[in-house]
Amino acid sequence: MSTAPSIPYLDDEPGYYTYRPRRDQPDRFDQQESFYNSRLPGVAFLVGGNGAGTTSTALAKVAKFVLSDQPPPRKDTPFWIIAGSYEQACETCWNEKLFQHGHIPEAEIDRERIQWYKPNRNWPFAVPLKPWPVEHGGHPNKNWILEFKSYEQGRSQMQARSVGGFLFVEQFPWGLLEEVLRGCREYNFLGSKLAEFTPVDPNLSRELDDMIDEDRLPDGWEIFRANTECAMEAGHVSKTWFNEFFGMVPEQMRLTRMTGARPQYEGAIYPNFDPLIHATGPDVDLSDFPQNVHFRRGIDWGGGPNNAFVCLWAYKNGLGQWFVFDEYYSTAQDRTTIDHLCEVADRWPWPIGNPHYGTTWADPSSPDNLRIAQKLSMYTEGKYDGLSMGAAYNRVREGIEHVQWLLKSEPSSGKPRLLIDKKSCPKLVREMRTY
């Protein structure tokens, strides 16, 4: 068995599984050991820093799964290893880690049946493993096959197949996870669904962030963390590299790059937005509103499955603080502008002629929708009054500057000028973090 000197091994562990994860330090966001030993019914995520050993640990766990945890149920049962490109899947996942680190020993490979991508570089499409010994619960005609996939293949190439398990390497398009999970329904083995990444791209972490924020992780899913500083202390990465790398990482991304903490994303428009400061709760109703505040609504017409129709409700108090207390957010493709506007009208009372309820400001890019809103009574046979609506000023830079100013604390009170109800407005909280 070949091993890499930077990977610690134990000689007294059974079989080929001599990989030893770092002992957990949950107070420091380092849980390699718990992830490696987990046998969850759902997806186990190892979210960590650069160089924290997330890929190595996840691939060692794959080897442990197919060679000692779970007998294969049929001939050539697929276990998918899915990375950003074929080159990453084949070189990093297979050649460097699974093969050269000895997680999958030569003796366990059915080499004559390997399906090659680039054999001269030891890059396979698929690596069949030999059947488990009968005395260990195996069957002479049943075996695992490691299949290497790429995000570049797209969602359609992940459909229909029945698979025994998977590992996503680095951040992935969420739709791929949905398709691959469907392929696990026949067997659904404990410990068979894995993902590892450093959360540097907000667009690829958004769905998971929403689940965490809204406390709706599916049963059986769990998130583990890995800390690069702990990896450095354990000798898995050099101190020289650690100091050099983190010396050049921007301050707002340092915790993300080190522990997998949810980041203030690089290039974020509102880096000063802090959910602990600006996101409040709980839900409100009309009886909770202070007296003599002024209400406003704002609408973005959206359009398309990735561009939602959005309405926000807010009020401003006498101290100049804005409180965003509700949102309507819809990407439904079977709803018309009139349908959305009726939802807006039903959501909160907006008395005509009341000086505390002002104009609804809307995206000026669609004057037709503005006219529809003003004629809503005609389109709904009098059920809804026309909405008092005006075109917002399309001064993007000025608007961003104003919101950045609102996020700062008012000097005399020390309180921020902008607060958002986090339970009623989860999408807005998410967008403020990642916009």
Side-chain angles (χ1 to χ4, degrees), residues 86-231:
Y86 267 120
E87 287 76 7
Q88 183 184 22
C90 294
E91 177 59 34
T92 302
C93 298
W94 168 251
N95 191 40
E96 178 188 337
K97 298 189 184 294
L98 286 174
F99 184 71
Q100 292 188 41
H101 285 181
H103 299 316
I104 302 293
E106 181 70 41
E108 296 292 342
I109 300 169
D110 188 349
R111 185 160 285 277
E112 291 184 359
R113 294 202 303 126
I114 291 178
Q115 300 169 38
W116 289 106
Y117 173 39
K118 294 184 178 180
N120 60 324
R121 302 189 67 173
N122 195 29
W123 286 5
F125 283 123
V127 177
L129 304 181
K130 294 179 180 178
W132 276 35
V134 174
E135 60 270 24
H136 292 297
H139 186 282
N141 295 320
K142 297 178 180 179
N143 66 290
W144 288 102
I145 182 169
L146 302 177
E147 296 186 358
F148 298 89
K149 303 287 183 179
S150 161
Y151 305 160
E152 297 166 348
Q153 291 179 275
R155 188 166 180 162
S156 63
Q157 296 301 310
M158 307 293 173
Q159 295 174 345
R161 292 286 304 279
S162 173
V163 298
F166 63 82
L167 166 65
F168 280 95
V169 177
E170 300 300 344
Q171 287 182 277
F172 51 87
W174 197 255
L176 295 186
L177 177 60
E178 295 172 356
E179 293 300 337
V180 175
L181 271 174
R182 290 201 302 180
C184 290
R185 63 188 180 274
E186 182 176 353
Y187 303 117
N188 205 33
F189 295 128
L190 295 177
S192 65
K193 300 183 278 289
L194 310 171
E196 65 83 20
F197 58 85
T198 300
V200 294
D201 186 338
N203 295 315
L204 297 180
S205 292
R206 181 167 289 181
E207 287 82 359
L208 187 60
D209 285 348
D210 285 351
M211 287 182 177
I212 296 169
D213 287 342
E214 299 163 18
D215 193 25
R216 56 179 179 84
L217 277 179
D219 291 341
W221 288 32
E222 192 167 344
I223 298 170
F224 303 88
R225 296 275 287 278
N227 186 337
T228 311
E229 187 173 39
C230 295

Side-chain angles (χ1 to χ4, degrees), residues 268-381:
I269 298 299
Y270 302 122
N272 293 330
F273 178 77
D274 185 344
L276 297 178
I277 297 172
H278 300 100
T280 68
D283 285 323
V284 296
D285 58 43
L286 282 174
S287 63
D288 292 323
F289 292 137
Q291 296 296 312
N292 298 317
V293 296
H294 290 81
F295 295 89
R296 294 291 185 272
R297 294 181 297 204
I299 286 178
D300 187 337
W301 303 110
N306 298 314
N307 190 5
F309 180 103
V310 178
C311 182
L312 299 177
W313 286 259
Y315 67 81
K316 185 179 183 181
N317 65 17
L319 299 176
Q321 286 180 298
W322 281 100
F323 294 80
V324 184
F325 61 87
D326 201 4
E327 69 180 14
Y328 170 72
Y329 182 101
S330 176
T331 56
Q333 296 302 290
D334 59 348
R335 312 210 75 188
T336 66
T337 296
I338 293 171
D339 292 331
H340 291 309
L341 292 173
C342 290
E343 290 279 358
V344 168
D346 283 337
R347 196 73 163 246
W348 292 96
W350 212 261
I352 296 175
N354 188 319
H356 293 286
Y357 291 81
T359 299
T360 299
W361 297 107
D363 177 2
S365 65
S366 180
D368 288 346
N369 284 339
L370 284 165
R371 287 190 288 271
I372 289 171
Q374 292 161 353
K375 298 177 181 179
L376 191 59
S377 175
M378 180 183 74
Y379 289 109
T380 61
E381 298 181 348

Side-chain angles (χ1 to χ4, degrees), residues 235-252:
H236 301 163
V237 296
S238 75
K239 187 174 182 179
T240 300
W241 173 87
F242 179 89
N243 290 335
E244 180 182 17
F245 180 77
F246 286 102
M248 62 176 285
V249 172
E251 179 65 33
Q252 68 268 25

